[in-house]
Amino acid sequence: MQYLHSAVHSIEMLLNTFSTSPNHACLRGQLASSWSLCYLTDTLLVTQKRLYSTSFKQRGSSTCKASNKSSFRWAKDATSPMMVPGRILPDDKKPMLSDVSHCHIPILDMDEPIDRVIDKVAKACEEYGFFQIINHKVPQELCQNMLTAVTDLFHLPPEDKALLFSDDQAKDVRICHHYRKDQASQEKIALWSEVFKHSWHPIDDFTHTLPRNPPQYRKVIALYAKNIGGLMTLLLSLMSQGLGLEPNCLNDKIRGNPTYRVQANYYPPCPNPELTLGLGVHTDRDALTVILTTPEVQGLQVLKDEKWIAVDPVPGALIVNLGDQLQVLSNGQYKSVLHRAITNKTQNRVSLAMFYGPGKDTLIGPIEHLVNEKHPPRYRSYRFSEFLDEFRRQEGNRRRVKEAFELHMNG
Ligand SMILES: O=C(O)CCC(=O)C(=O)O
Ligand SMILES: [Fe+2]
């Protein structure tokens, strides 16, 4: 009981540090609710409800009333213990954080001589499917402004975010949750994150569809998108040369009416990171991804040789990873590897993933120059729309989409 009192006292102290502005009151709500995963005894759930109603609700902030929309369950969960199991992954899907390896993904300096960069890019694409780049020429101030704009967006009052919330995959600009569907019960388990999605090119054509709040979002994403577009063209050219192809080869394969998607991920502190994930285990379905993330907060993990590796974000670096289409185009020489985002107990983390992929009608298959007697084609060719259909068919599980297009050799 002594322990119980001191635990409650600490929570109240923590909540009282967020007492002034509406945004802080929202955080208080999230914090109050998030304890629901930590303390699963009836007594503590009652205590937690008391905290929610006295410390949070009593302040009467209308901005923090739980919305009816399913996206804003953080605050609602606090009054509903029944919601708690709906956030806990089954044992075989829990992250097993003590098993994470301490090996690192490669860090590439883009200011090194071009031949060295090409060799290193090729090696990283073959061995890891992931690397970090420094001296990438996207201005540091812009990266910082982008992270601030994304954080501010997720810290908007719930009713503002509710306007953006939608489960409709056809909607271009929306906030949603990611889930994992439990195979046995078919129950959807909500992951510990919120995500905001929209297209990012040609950005000037649709900035008007993006939220007006936070006020700087439209301007900052427009500038950031232009920088990332240039960087992606360069990266694809280096990757082409690393495969012994003409510099434009990969760019040309994807260029016809490509898709540009952005996904901003927000991971609030989680009381027990062992029970959940921020993003489930997945590969990226497009061709290339560039990720900007909160410096000095770990969260992204990459599978290498059947072991999870924690990505240590280097301040000022961008993280690059290959999507499924590059694995297929390179006939399996480059890897699109499984990765996931874990949560942590104390810090918010945001990441901004910019995806670049082919258009729906684009034909994707192993590039002819990479196929020969020694290297027979590993995948059949398909239109990207076919790949997307298979992707949707496998919804909710750990997707194995590119495997559906594998060719199986005799013998
Ligand atoms: O949060 C991260 O670092 C990972 C993001 C990611 O993998 C994704 O959005 O596909
Ligand atoms: Fe990803």
Side-chain angles (χ1 to χ4, degrees):
M1 220 43 203
Q2 181 61 38
Y3 163 74
L4 182 71
H5 280 129
S6 63
V8 169
H9 180 67
S10 317
I11 299 168
E12 274 179 319
M13 296 256 293
L14 204 54
L15 291 172
N16 281 333
T17 59
F18 296 105
S19 59
T20 47
S21 76
N23 275 359
H24 285 167
C26 295
L27 275 177
R28 292 166 53 77
Q30 294 193 354
L31 206 51
S33 68
S34 63
W35 287 96
S36 58
L37 277 179
C38 201
Y39 300 100
L40 297 178
T41 68
D42 286 345
T43 321
L44 277 168
L45 280 168
V46 170
T47 309
Q48 175 218 354
K49 275 199 219 171
R50 183 179 70 76
L51 276 177
Y52 177 80
S53 55
T54 57
S55 303
F56 168 56
K57 230 185 195 165
Q58 195 186 42
R59 311 230 168 215
S61 164
S62 60
T63 55
C64 281
K65 284 210 180 96
S67 154
N68 288 334
K69 304 259 183 161
S70 56
S71 69
F72 303 110
R73 294 207 188 108
W74 301 107
K76 232 166 104 184
D77 286 359
T79 58
S80 169
M82 293 306 290
M83 295 297 296
V84 171
R87 288 201 180 275
I88 299 177
L89 290 169
D91 283 350
D92 62 331
K93 304 293 178 230
K94 290 190 176 113
M96 308 287 285
L97 299 175
S98 54
D99 281 355
V100 174
S101 152
H102 292 288
C103 148
H104 295 285
I105 64 165
I107 299 168
L108 272 58
D109 182 348
M110 302 293 276
D111 273 351
E112 278 195 32
I114 182 94
D115 288 349
R116 292 255 299 269
V117 177
I118 291 172
D119 285 350
K120 288 186 179 177
V121 164
K123 200 158 184 287
C125 292
E126 284 167 16
E127 289 181 15
Y128 292 83
F130 262 85
F131 51 96
Q132 302 199 56
I133 49 174
I134 54 172
N135 293 319
H136 43 67
K137 311 291 180 288
V138 182
Q140 289 302 315
E141 196 189 349
L142 177 59
C143 293
Q144 183 49 54
N145 291 344
M146 191 69 253
L147 282 176
T148 305
V150 169
T151 308
D152 289 354
L153 181 122
F154 286 111
H155 286 176
L156 286 173
E159 63 267 33
D160 287 9
K161 288 202 288 183
L163 296 174
L164 292 166
F165 178 80
S166 174
D167 274 331
D168 179 359
Q169 299 192 3
K171 215 170 161 211
D172 187 52
V173 182
R174 65 189 179 110
I175 290 183
C176 61
H177 277 150
H178 282 184
Y179 296 90
R180 189 187 182 284
K181 207 191 262 170
D182 184 52
Q183 284 303 291
S185 64
Q186 290 292 300
E187 186 198 1
K188 277 168 109 187
I189 299 171
L191 299 175
W192 203 269
S193 58
E194 289 176 9
V195 303
F196 174 54
K197 305 182 182 208
H198 60 82
S199 303
W200 61 270
H201 186 81
I203 191 90
D204 295 332
D205 288 3
F206 60 81
T207 30
H208 65 281
T209 65
L210 298 177
R212 285 185 197 283
N213 268 324
Q216 78 278 29
Y217 189 84
R218 290 179 173 188
K219 210 167 138 192
V220 176
I221 188 76
L223 195 54
Y224 184 74
K226 284 172 190 162
N227 275 265
I228 295 300
L231 177 64
M232 284 187 168
T233 307
L234 171 66
L235 287 167
L236 285 170
S237 152
L238 299 171
M239 288 172 185
S240 293
Q241 293 173 78
L243 289 166
L245 302 167
E246 288 297 314
N248 282 341
C249 185
L250 286 172
N251 274 301
D252 288 347
K253 291 283 172 196
I254 301 166
R255 208 187 292 282
N257 195 23
T259 35
Y260 301 86
R261 301 181 304 117
V262 50
Q263 178 169 308
N265 306 294
Y266 176 68
Y267 311 99
C270 173
N272 193 339
E274 290 283 359
L275 302 182
T276 184
L277 281 169
L279 275 191
V281 176
H282 68 283
T283 59
D284 291 350
R285 71 181 194 202
D286 294 306
L288 185 62
T289 310
V290 173
I291 305 173
L292 172 67
T293 182
T294 312
E296 283 139 18
V297 184
Q298 279 191 0
L300 176 60
Q301 299 188 339
V302 174
L303 198 66
K304 166 105 170 87
D305 304 328
E306 305 296 310
K307 274 268 187 198
W308 288 105
I309 304 177
V311 174
D312 254 333
V314 174
L318 290 167
I319 300 165
V320 178
N321 70 286
L322 308 191
D324 293 341
Q325 306 319 307
L326 279 188
Q327 176 160 334
V328 173
L329 285 163
S330 70
N331 200 25
Q333 205 167 315
Y334 285 172
K335 304 287 183 299
S336 162
V337 304
L338 290 168
H339 53 286
R340 66 183 187 181
I342 60 152
T343 60
N344 79 83
K345 276 192 178 171
T346 54
Q347 287 160 295
N348 287 317
R349 176 174 176 266
V350 297
S351 66
L352 185 73
M354 308 284 280
F355 304 106
Y356 178 54
K360 290 192 173 51
D361 294 332
T362 302
L363 202 58
I364 298 291
I367 291 172
E368 314 79 74
H369 288 87
L370 304 176
V371 175
N372 52 44
E373 221 172 303
K374 233 173 116 198
H375 302 102
R378 292 195 189 177
Y379 301 92
R380 72 170 175 85
S381 298
Y382 51 84
R383 297 225 177 259
F384 187 51
S385 56
E386 224 186 309
F387 191 93
L388 293 177
D389 290 344
E390 179 64 24
F391 180 85
R392 290 191 189 108
R393 210 182 58 74
Q394 295 188 23
E395 184 179 7
N397 299 314
R398 185 169 123 179
R399 292 175 160 113
R400 297 166 192 276
V401 187
K402 58 184 173 304
E403 284 81 343
F405 297 88
E406 270 173 7
L407 292 171
H408 296 283
M409 303 297 134
N410 293 329

